[in-house]
Amino acid sequence: MDYMLDKIKLLENKDNIINTAEEIVKSIKNNNNLNDSERIMTMELAMAELNYDLYNFKKYKKDGNK
C-alpha cells in the first residue's frame, strides 16, 4: 500500500484520489450485510467493473465508433 500511496502523492489530484478511495472503502466497511470475505469480493467486483467500463470507454474513443 505504501508503494501505491507514494505513486499517488506525486499526482496533482492526489487529495481527490485519496478522499474518493477512502469514501469507497468506508462505504463497503460499513455495510453490515456483508462479512469480511464478502467485503473483499465487493471491492474486487467494483474494480473489475470499473476496469471493464474504462477499457470499453477508451476503446470506444479510440475506435471512434458511435
Side-chain angles (χ1 to χ4, degrees), residues 3 7 17 24 29 37-38 48:
Y3 172 75
K7 288 175 60 175
I17 294 168
I24 293 167
K29 286 171 94 174
S37 179
E38 292 168 335

Side-chain angles (χ1 to χ4, degrees), residues 13-32:
N13 201 19
K14 64 183 171 270
D15 293 333
N16 193 25
I17 294 168
I18 292 169
N19 290 338
T20 301
E22 288 174 350
E23 286 177 29
I24 293 167
V25 170
K26 182 179 178 181
S27 174
I28 292 172
K29 286 171 94 174
N30 289 335
N31 187 328
N32 294 324

Side-chain angles (χ1 to χ4, degrees), residues 33-44:
N33 296 320
L34 302 171
N35 64 36
D36 288 345
S37 179
E38 292 168 335
R39 286 182 178 100
I40 292 171
M41 286 189 282
T42 300
M43 181 61 80
E44 290 173 350

Side-chain angles (χ1 to χ4, degrees), residues 8 14 17 29 32 44 49 53 58 60 62 64 66:
I8 289 170
K14 64 183 171 270
I17 294 168
K29 286 171 94 174
N32 294 324
E44 290 173 350
E49 287 184 19
D53 290 347
K58 286 181 181 178
Y60 168 81
K62 184 177 178 182
K66 297 182 184 175

